[in-house]
Amino acid sequence: MTLAGRIARHPIGLGTAPLGSSADGPLWWGPQDRGEAVATVSAAIDAGASFIDTAPFYGWGLAEQIVGEAIADRPDSPPVLTKCGIVRTDDDSAADDASPTSIRRGIESSLQNLGRNRIDVVQVHDPDASTPIEDTWEALHAAVDEGLIGGVGLSNHPIELMERALAVGPIAVVQHQSSALSRRAIRSGIVDWCRERGIPFLSWAPLASGFLVDDFDLAELHPDDLRHRLPWAGDRVDVTRRVRATVQRIADDLGTDLTRASIAVAAHGDGVAAIVGSRSIAEAIDLGRPIPELSTEQIAAVDEAVG
């Protein structure tokens, strides 16, 4: 079954950024047990997650390694999507590098981390102002021709760069941040652009990194947890409260919970799916629950709350 077909059947995939939480890595979500992380990926597969989304950036390879361990003996694993184009510098910071040489090196590293000889989809993580998208796209499609990857996608790229990439070769998938709290991908026309071309759109951070989860409590997080620095906890905290209240009312009307209604907002529309990060077996099992269908009026209420 194609990725588009899987999304049409169940528009939820597993996000692994939190599983790659590392105190010495670029993303720190608090402590994460390695064994439970592997079990979480396996539970997500059992629950029917339509895909697994990961990246070298998540713990500098840690999340990919966790996914690789979980799927090693799982021929029923759904498509695995990883990324390229963000590299670790000598001082342990991150830099954009989507040059052909970097792309090739990144693919080889991801193959090793995942324990595979082929990756279903490799996405360019972020735009690289130093490398023409055409050069990046040609390098990725060369890897497709070699059988190293099945398809190529774009993450966080504007329409202008997506148009240029599409002129060189097919786009398998596009992802951007999109949730009840983040509507830019909707309002900028990116989602419509993808839908018009039959390209699956994946919403990352559909739960706003936890701010749209029922039992979320910022005060309970580790003091260094990256979520303390997100706008939903800072200068947009009033918007967070207003949107949570709006989505909660929608959830109550539908007889569901805030988390499920929030995922439904992020996965609203044909060809759209949500990348839902999970850190426990229970959260992974929850990925299998169906999401409610929202009306245009309910989506409009969310947009009004965002302002």
Side-chain angles (χ1 to χ4, degrees), residues 117-128:
N117 55 22
R118 181 180 182 273
I119 303 170
D120 296 294
V121 178
V122 173
Q123 307 153 97
V124 185
H125 207 142
D126 286 310
D128 174 13

Side-chain angles (χ1 to χ4, degrees), residues 4 7 152-154 162 166 169-175 190-202 270-272:
I7 288 172
V152 295
L154 290 168
M162 294 195 297
L166 190 59
I171 299 174
V173 68
V174 165
Q175 66 171 269
I190 289 172
V191 175
D192 285 340
W193 186 92
C194 292
R195 186 176 291 120
E196 290 165 2
R197 290 156 181 79
I199 300 170
F201 177 87
L202 308 182
D270 294 338
V272 178

Side-chain angles (χ1 to χ4, degrees), residues 106-228:
I107 290 172
E108 292 173 352
S109 177
S110 291
L111 286 167
Q112 182 176 3
N113 286 336
L114 292 167
R116 287 192 157 189
N117 55 22
R118 181 180 182 273
I119 303 170
D120 296 294
V121 178
V122 173
Q123 307 153 97
V124 185
H125 207 142
D126 286 310
D128 174 13
S130 299
T131 305
I133 189 67
E134 291 83 0
D135 293 352
T136 301
W137 217 239
E138 288 174 359
L140 283 164
H141 275 282
V144 172
D145 293 340
E146 291 180 58
L148 296 177
I149 60 179
V152 295
L154 290 168
S155 170
N156 304 325
H157 285 64
I159 288 176
E160 184 263 334
L161 289 180
M162 294 195 297
E163 290 275 12
R164 286 169 53 186
L166 190 59
V168 175
I171 299 174
V173 68
V174 165
Q175 66 171 269
H176 278 260
Q177 182 177 18
S178 184
S179 70
L181 278 167
S182 178
R183 309 300 287 163
R184 188 183 66 82
I186 304 289
R187 294 174 176 177
S188 66
I190 289 172
V191 175
D192 285 340
W193 186 92
C194 292
R195 186 176 291 120
E196 290 165 2
R197 290 156 181 79
I199 300 170
F201 177 87
L202 308 182
S203 304
W204 65 261
L207 296 173
S209 302
F211 285 86
L212 294 171
V213 172
D214 291 87
D215 57 356
F216 182 73
D217 186 349
L218 190 65
E220 292 184 357
L221 301 181
H222 189 282
D224 294 330
D225 192 297
L226 64 85
R227 286 169 286 186
H228 288 289

Side-chain angles (χ1 to χ4, degrees), residues 233-283:
D235 58 4
R236 291 184 63 80
V237 66
D238 290 341
V239 175
T240 302
R241 296 192 186 100
R242 188 167 64 243
V243 169
R244 275 183 62 99
T246 299
V247 179
Q248 184 64 66
R249 287 193 294 272
I250 293 171
D252 293 342
D253 290 342
L254 295 172
T256 189
D257 53 43
L258 175 69
T259 302
R260 220 76 202 143
S262 297
I263 294 173
V265 173
H268 181 73
D270 294 338
V272 178
I275 305 170
V276 182
S278 303
R279 300 191 67 184
S280 67
I281 294 172
E283 290 178 355

Side-chain angles (χ1 to χ4, degrees), residues 10-77:
H10 187 57
I12 298 178
L14 172 68
T16 63
L19 295 179
S21 179
S22 173
D24 59 354
L27 300 174
W28 172 240
W29 300 73
Q32 175 68 50
D33 178 76
R34 171 69 177 255
E36 181 158 12
V38 173
T40 295
V41 176
S42 186
I45 296 172
D46 292 336
S50 290
F51 57 90
I52 300 170
D53 182 79
T54 189
F57 182 63
Y58 307 155
W60 293 131
L62 176 59
E64 287 186 324
Q65 293 162 14
I66 288 168
V67 171
E69 184 175 342
I71 66 175
D73 298 315
R74 296 294 303 257
D76 58 339
S77 169

